[in-house]
């Protein structure tokens, strides 16, 4: 039997964790003027596999600056895109995924335009995005949450998933989709879309410092009292 929203003990763990993250790292708030268009976020997420955020930011801004709009990017040959995505860890893969994804959007709407997502429910919009080539749950959540759409959808990257697994909040072997499906119902109901965005960014800091993939520093971690892995 599923517990009512908010009554799950994991909800209180997430509240305590968020407070502890803010105390440790300070606030990480994305100002409204720093939110990018859904199209920008889609491109950024599709090309960003295993690449540092700062590099993907530069690549995405570079494409828009050079071509002027996403329709011209979509019409560029894949070899040309690859040459402009050398900052990415896998430029050829990034170029192919980007080309296929933008082509699919342009084929359906006549241009690279995601304005229709604003009129869709969040789950339906994410399902539509995930039908595009190269778009998975992390990508669709990014478009919905961190763009100007500003929806309640938790972005889950490798750091985030690993921490949630170690803490016992999501199943130990859950992939990103399963982790998302397990996490969303137990998030504090009072959290806004901005809170979810900040929580994700703060968890990335935790994953880069204490809760590293190998040899995590559990003994010094401020979250260990609520962490199943840390307690073991």
């Amino acid at each position: 039997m599923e517990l009512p929203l908010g009554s799950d003990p994991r909800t209180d763990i997430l509240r305590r964790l968020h407070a502890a993250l803010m105390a440790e790292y300070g606030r990480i708030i994305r100002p409204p003027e720093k939110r990018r268009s859904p199209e920008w976020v889609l491109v950024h997420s599709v090309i960003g596999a295993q690449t540092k955020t700062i590099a993907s930011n530069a690549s995405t801004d570079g494409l828009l600056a050079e071509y002027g709009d996403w329709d011209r990017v979509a019409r560029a040959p894949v070899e040309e895109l690859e040459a402009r995505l050398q900052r990415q860890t896998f430029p050829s893969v990034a170029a192919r995924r980007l080309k296929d994804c933008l082509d699919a959007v342009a084929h359906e709407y006549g241009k690279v335009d995601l304005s229709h997502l604003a009129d869709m429910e969040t789950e339906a919009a994410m399902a539509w995005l995930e039908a595009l080539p190269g778009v998975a749950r992390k990508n669709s959540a990014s478009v919905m949450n961190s763009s100007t759409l500003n929806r309640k959808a938790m972005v889950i990257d490798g750091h985030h998933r690993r921490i949630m697994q170690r803490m016992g909040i999501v199943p130990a072997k859950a992939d990103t989709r399963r982790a998302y499906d397990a996490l969303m119902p137990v998030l504090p109901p009072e959290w806004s879309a901005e809170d979810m965005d900040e929580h994700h960014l703060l968890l990335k800091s935790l994953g880069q410092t204490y809760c590293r993939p190998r040899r995590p520093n559990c003994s010094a971690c401020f979250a260990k009292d609520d962490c199943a892995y840390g307690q073991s």
Side-chain angles (χ1 to χ4, degrees):
M1 179 177 178
E2 189 172 320
L3 292 170
L5 185 65
S7 67
D8 193 300
R10 293 172 294 179
T11 303
D12 289 330
I13 292 175
L14 289 166
R15 288 191 181 103
R16 291 194 295 270
L17 175 61
H18 194 61
L21 287 165
M22 289 190 293
E24 179 73 15
Y25 300 112
R27 303 298 302 274
I28 305 179
I29 300 173
R30 195 189 306 268
E33 65 273 14
K34 294 294 185 182
R35 288 184 175 273
R36 305 294 196 113
S37 71
E39 296 82 7
W40 190 98
V41 178
L42 177 65
V43 170
H44 181 273
S45 64
V46 167
I47 68 173
Q50 298 185 45
T51 303
K52 291 186 179 299
T53 300
I54 191 169
S56 295
N57 288 346
S59 292
T60 309
D61 284 336
L63 287 170
L64 192 56
E66 179 169 354
Y67 289 95
D69 61 48
W70 298 120
D71 292 316
R72 291 186 177 91
V73 174
R75 292 194 293 269
V78 69
E79 297 80 11
E80 191 173 297
L81 294 175
E82 181 178 348
R84 285 152 179 78
L85 293 175
Q86 291 303 304
R87 296 183 185 90
Q88 305 311 108
T89 303
F90 303 109
S92 61
V93 175
R96 182 76 266 168
R97 285 179 176 172
L98 178 60
K99 178 71 173 173
D100 291 345
C101 182
L102 295 186
D103 280 350
V105 178
H107 177 76
E108 184 162 351
Y109 287 95
K111 59 181 178 178
V112 181
D113 183 1
L114 299 180
S115 59
H116 66 284
L117 297 180
D119 298 323
M120 299 175 70
E121 295 292 333
T122 300
E123 288 187 7
M126 290 175 66
W128 184 90
L129 286 163
E130 289 169 25
L132 297 173
V135 177
R137 181 56 54 90
K138 176 192 172 186
N139 311 118
S140 66
S142 294
V143 172
M144 299 309 295
N145 179 256
S146 59
S147 77
T148 52
L149 291 170
N150 196 28
R151 297 284 189 88
K152 286 189 175 185
M154 183 64 79
V155 181
I156 301 177
D157 64 6
H159 292 299
H160 195 148
R161 187 177 71 250
R162 179 176 68 254
I163 294 166
M164 293 294 96
Q165 289 169 336
R166 286 176 174 173
M167 294 189 75
I169 293 175
V170 305
K173 295 184 179 181
D175 59 12
T176 299
R177 178 186 288 271
R178 286 184 62 210
Y180 180 94
D181 290 344
L183 184 60
M184 285 298 293
V186 301
L187 292 177
E190 70 273 13
W191 281 10
S192 65
E194 292 87 353
D195 292 326
M196 293 182 189
D197 184 33
E198 182 177 28
H199 188 72
H200 166 70
L201 295 172
L202 287 167
L203 277 178
K204 182 178 289 189
S205 296
L206 177 59
Q208 292 168 341
T209 52
Y210 297 100
C211 200
R212 297 183 295 270
R214 295 181 177 84
R215 303 172 73 179
N217 189 4
C218 296
S219 61
C221 181
F222 54 88
K224 66 179 181 295
D225 288 347
D226 276 319
C227 179
Y229 186 91
Q231 289 299 303
S232 66

